[in-house]
Amino acid sequence: VGVELSAAEPFLRSVLCYYLQEHGKLVDFYQAFTKDVGDDPSGYATLKKTLGVDDMAKWQDEWEEWVSELRFR
């Protein structure tokens, strides 16, 4: 959508953390990530496990829908 990923990354990370918080998974993700960062430095496998999903493309579609419904004040 015309935004470089590098410029959007901090925002996307924040929104992902907000999503995890709103779904009661932020603490679980943080604890698992800090424990497993040596084996999973990107956190991708940890995120999949925390979310309990195998199909991340499907989850991303659901997440994008959730994000599109956010209203900022």
Side-chain angles (χ1 to χ4, degrees):
V1 181
V3 176
E4 290 183 18
L5 184 57
S6 60
E9 281 180 17
F11 174 75
L12 294 174
R13 285 188 198 120
S14 296
V15 174
L16 176 59
C17 287
Y18 181 62
Y19 174 90
L20 292 171
Q21 174 184 312
E22 291 297 299
H23 289 82
K25 297 179 183 277
L26 182 58
V27 172
D28 293 340
F29 173 74
Y30 179 77
Q31 289 174 341
F33 176 71
T34 56
K35 177 180 165 271
D36 298 332
V37 71
D39 295 326
D40 181 26
S42 73
Y44 185 75
T46 304
L47 180 62
K48 284 178 64 174
K49 184 176 179 181
T50 301
L51 294 171
V53 297
D54 291 320
D55 186 347
M56 286 301 281
K58 181 180 177 197
W59 176 83
Q60 184 173 348
D61 289 341
E62 294 168 4
W63 179 72
E64 288 174 358
E65 177 68 26
W66 181 85
V67 170
S68 74
E69 295 173 6
L70 290 175
R71 298 295 172 253
F72 300 93
R73 299 176 202 198

